[in-house]
Amino acid sequence: MTLSLVDDAARAASSTRPGGAERRGRMNARRRGTRAAPPLSVGAGLGLGAAVIWMTVLVLLPLAAVVAEAAAGGWSEAVRVLTQPQTAAAIRLTLVQAALVTVIDVVMGTAIAWVLVRDRFWGRRLIDVIIDIPFALPTVVAGLVLLALYGPQGPTPVDVANTRVAVTFALAFVTLPFVVRAVQPVLETLDRDVEDAARSLGADGLTVFGRIVLPALAPAIATGAALAFARGVAEYGSLVLISGNLAMRTEVASVRILGYIEGGDLAAAAVVATVLLAVSLAVTLLLGAIGRVGGRRG
Amino acid sequence: MLRLVVIAYLVLLVAWPVSLVFTGALSDGLGPVIDTFTDPLVLRALRLTAVAVLWAVVLNTVFGVGVALLLVRRSFPGRRLLAALVDLPLAVSPVVVGLALVLVYGSRNGWLGAPLAQAGVQIVFSTPGIVLATTFIAMPLVLREVVPVLEEVGTDQEQAARSLGAGPWATFRRITLPAIRWGVVYGMVLCLARAIGEFGAVKVVSGNLIGQTQTATLSVEELYMNFDRQGAFAVAAALSSVSIVVIIIVGLLRTRMEKRRGS
């Protein structure tokens, strides 16, 4: 799914790189082109109408219904749901785990992108394929395979089933590609002359990385991190089998929502869902901001 | 050193677990696998997934190509708002998607579901609901791939065709569609993979009625919960094979599109 999301974000972030100016020139030309685009003909107008109606009945109306259902109970009801110990614990666990996995992804994702771009060794193409597996694999299968290896019947002595570590494992699996795929294209186009110059002036490897490479990668890393965090907060399928969904211990927000739905309390489900919607909206806005900052700097 | 850390991380997190799904499916030989894939309930689940995926790919392709043409080739009020809103489905949690659809299309209290139920149309807990959920979560995937390609190819050839007397439909079919076809196919492949794997949203709207509204991913969970470990692995292995084939196709298409762009 999000292959294209990352590509886009990377495209936005990569405009900070040297040579981005020419690219942006083309984009401006394009924008000028769209400004001169013809207004709607009758046929195109009908098409637009149909598209807007379809989006409204499929996406906008249902999402509005979630917020409306949450708002129907008023503030006091929303506060009551969110301070209920099991729900509060689920939301806290979700945010903490998503943040933890985002940190892991930033470190490991940058390292993986570095190895993919700068290292030459046999099997590098295979690693490139492995990175994409978490995007394409059904989430419930992701949970199943992790359980097969790190569950009670797995070949390893590690048994994390029904623990918080299992939540971390599952989220690390499904969010793996975000930072890698955001950083990789930027790293590929980085000008290595600057690094060589710094090294010839006596900077050691760590200084070169910290002072030259990292600042250039920062917008891409931030983009990947935001996407990974959003995915981690929203995740459901991969957690179902491996986390055990134990109340107060391994239950995440989306599982809690499902619990409310199955219990018939749609209003409470809508309150928690609105919190998740707010997080995804915030991340979308943040990504827009990163794109703009990146565009300005280059 | 860094190379070894990276390889170890990927093997432990992805490669080893994913390989186990295939060995797990075949752990007791082919017999149980054949049993699983001749089980009428599993077959129905696979058929339902196929139906939902087909609808999702067709609807999102028509929507994606149409809206991409509007966004890139036309100017109208609210264009930027529409461009921002189409990305929304990718950011929403699947369970929230399911809840949202139940609130609107639920046959008891849904905003639209109650009147529809009185007219005899049931959406939630039935196939149309599963189609809606699957379409929702994969909605922008074709659109996002087609927009950059459309921007890239420009309007020169289309204008030439129009000035030579071709109608809008002939121009689209003979000029625009051939130019954007790889972008469309790439988006459709992404859409297919996402639709096959959908779980959370479908779980909420389907009611998980076994043999009626159970999709392939739901049957993996069901089989596992009923201690049919090998059956779960067999269905999971089938789904994983599709995913891995999809990744390879996407990889090939991407190299192909990049080459075209470079030339």
Side-chain angles (χ1 to χ4, degrees), chain A residues 16-17 19 22 26 41 52 96 110 117 131 147 169 201 211 214 244 258 288 293:
Chain A
T16 51
R17 73 187 200 219
E22 168 212 85
R26 243 193 311 153
S41 63
V52 169
V96 169
T110 311
V117 174
I131 301 291
L147 191 57
F169 274 38
L201 293 171
R211 302 283 289 271
L214 206 54
L258 200 78
V293 170

Side-chain angles (χ1 to χ4, degrees), chain A residues 1 24 29 37 44 63 66 79 83 110 112 153 157 159 169 181 186 201 212 266 278 282 293-294:
Chain A
M1 50 131 212
R24 222 168 4 270
L63 292 183
V66 172
V79 170
T83 51
T110 311
I112 294 168
Q153 297 170 40
D159 178 9
F169 274 38
R181 291 298 184 228
V186 185
L201 293 171
I212 312 245
L266 293 186
V293 170

Side-chain angles (χ1 to χ4, degrees), chain A:
Chain A
M1 50 131 212
T2 11
L3 281 172
S4 58
L5 201 71
V6 170
D7 283 355
D8 271 20
R11 249 175 253 147
S14 68
S15 53
T16 51
R17 73 187 200 219
E22 168 212 85
R23 208 173 201 218
R24 222 168 4 270
R26 243 193 311 153
M27 272 164 64
N28 283 340
R30 246 188 243 151
R31 237 172 259 142
R32 244 174 277 134
T34 34
R35 215 173 287 143
L40 297 174
S41 63
V42 176
L46 288 175
L48 178 64
V52 169
I53 290 173
W54 174 239
M55 259 190 74
T56 306
V57 296
L58 185 66
V59 177
L60 301 180
L61 200 61
L63 292 183
V66 172
V67 179
E69 180 83 17
W75 272 114
S76 57
E77 175 63 15
V79 170
R80 193 189 62 76
V81 171
L82 295 177
T83 51
Q84 197 263 337
Q86 192 183 342
T87 309
I91 293 175
R92 198 179 317 120
L93 177 71
T94 306
L95 295 176
V96 169
Q97 287 290 338
L100 173 66
V101 166
T102 305
V103 173
I104 296 174
D105 281 344
V106 164
V107 176
M108 287 314 295
T110 311
I112 294 168
W114 181 269
V115 167
L116 277 175
V117 174
R118 293 292 173 90
D119 234 355
R120 289 281 167 273
F121 59 95
W122 185 87
R124 208 171 46 92
R125 289 294 304 240
L126 190 65
I127 289 192
D128 220 19
V129 172
I130 290 176
I131 301 291
D132 278 338
I133 288 181
F135 270 156
L137 206 68
T139 49
V140 68
V141 176
L144 187 72
V145 296
L146 287 173
L147 191 57
L149 186 55
Y150 301 113
Q153 297 170 40
T156 53
V158 187
D159 178 9
V160 299
N162 308 337
T163 67
R164 284 185 180 173
V165 182
V167 178
T168 316
F169 274 38
L171 293 186
F173 184 98
V174 297
T175 61
L176 168 74
F178 290 100
V179 175
V180 182
R181 291 298 184 228
V183 171
Q184 197 180 357
V186 185
L187 199 55
E188 262 163 12
T189 53
L190 219 56
D191 196 353
R192 292 177 79 164
D193 292 352
V194 189
E195 290 165 50
D196 293 340
R199 222 169 272 126
S200 76
L201 293 171
D204 57 35
L206 210 61
T207 315
V208 172
F209 185 78
R211 302 283 289 271
I212 312 245
V213 180
L214 206 54
L217 296 183
I221 294 177
T223 303
L227 291 170
F229 182 77
R231 177 67 199 268
V233 169
E235 185 52 26
Y236 171 70
S238 62
L239 297 168
V240 170
L241 295 177
I242 197 171
S243 80
N245 308 324
L246 305 173
M248 308 297 292
R249 283 188 46 223
T250 63
E251 190 183 49
V252 296
S254 50
V255 175
R256 186 76 189 119
I257 294 175
L258 200 78
Y260 275 130
I261 296 173
E262 282 171 348
D265 192 351
L266 293 186
V271 170
V272 185
T274 305
V275 173
L276 292 194
L277 276 178
V279 173
S280 39
L281 193 67
V283 169
T284 313
L285 293 177
L286 183 70
L287 282 178
I290 294 171
R292 271 198 302 283
V293 170
R296 223 182 290 134
R297 273 186 26 185

Side-chain angles (χ1 to χ4, degrees), chain A residues 1-9 11 26 30 33-41 44-45 47-49 51-52 54-69 104-105 108 111-112 114-115 119-121 125 127 129-141 144-150 153-156 169 172-173 176 181 230 233-238 240-241 254-255 257-258 261-262 266 269-274 276-277 280-281 284, chain B residues 2-7 9-21 59-60 63 66-67 70-77 79 82 84-105 109 111-112 131-133 135-137 139-141 144-145 148 151-152 186 190-191 193-194 196-201 203-204 216-218 220-221 224-225 229 232-233 235-237 239-241 243-244 246-248 250-251 254-255 261:
Chain A
M1 50 131 212
T2 11
L3 281 172
S4 58
L5 201 71
V6 170
D7 283 355
D8 271 20
R11 249 175 253 147
R26 243 193 311 153
R30 246 188 243 151
T34 34
R35 215 173 287 143
L40 297 174
S41 63
L48 178 64
V52 169
W54 174 239
M55 259 190 74
T56 306
V57 296
L58 185 66
V59 177
L60 301 180
L61 200 61
L63 292 183
V66 172
V67 179
E69 180 83 17
I104 296 174
D105 281 344
M108 287 314 295
I112 294 168
W114 181 269
V115 167
D119 234 355
R120 289 281 167 273
F121 59 95
R125 289 294 304 240
I127 289 192
V129 172
I130 290 176
I131 301 291
D132 278 338
I133 288 181
F135 270 156
L137 206 68
T139 49
V140 68
V141 176
L144 187 72
V145 296
L146 287 173
L147 191 57
L149 186 55
Y150 301 113
Q153 297 170 40
T156 53
F169 274 38
F173 184 98
L176 168 74
R181 291 298 184 228
V233 169
E235 185 52 26
Y236 171 70
S238 62
V240 170
L241 295 177
S254 50
V255 175
I257 294 175
L258 200 78
I261 296 173
E262 282 171 348
L266 293 186
V271 170
V272 185
T274 305
L276 292 194
L277 276 178
S280 39
L281 193 67
T284 313
Chain B
L2 189 63
R3 185 196 300 176
L4 287 180
V5 173
V6 162
I7 292 174
Y9 184 74
L10 290 176
V11 166
L12 288 175
L13 190 64
V14 183
W16 194 7
V18 173
S19 73
L20 282 183
V21 76
L59 288 171
N60 287 333
F63 174 85
V67 174
L70 287 169
L71 286 177
V72 178
R73 295 280 193 261
R74 302 283 171 169
S75 61
F76 51 89
R79 195 177 138 271
L82 183 64
L85 284 177
V86 289
D87 277 345
L88 205 57
L90 290 184
V92 181
S93 170
V95 178
V96 176
V97 173
L99 172 68
L101 290 173
V102 167
L103 286 173
V104 171
Y105 295 104
N109 300 315
W111 290 1
L112 299 176
V131 171
L132 281 184
T135 309
F136 186 129
I137 47 96
M139 198 181 81
L141 293 177
R144 299 178 66 102
E145 295 312 315
E151 285 175 339
E152 198 98 9
Y186 185 47
L190 292 177
C191 182
R194 183 82 176 85
I196 289 176
E198 183 42 37
F199 178 70
K203 183 165 175 173
V204 176
T217 46
L218 291 173
V220 170
E221 188 198 16
Y224 192 86
M225 293 296 190
R229 198 159 177 268
F233 276 102
V235 178
L239 295 175
S240 308
S241 316
S243 310
I244 289 165
V246 162
I247 295 173
I248 292 167
V250 165
R254 197 176 353 172
T255 349
R261 231 170 258 173

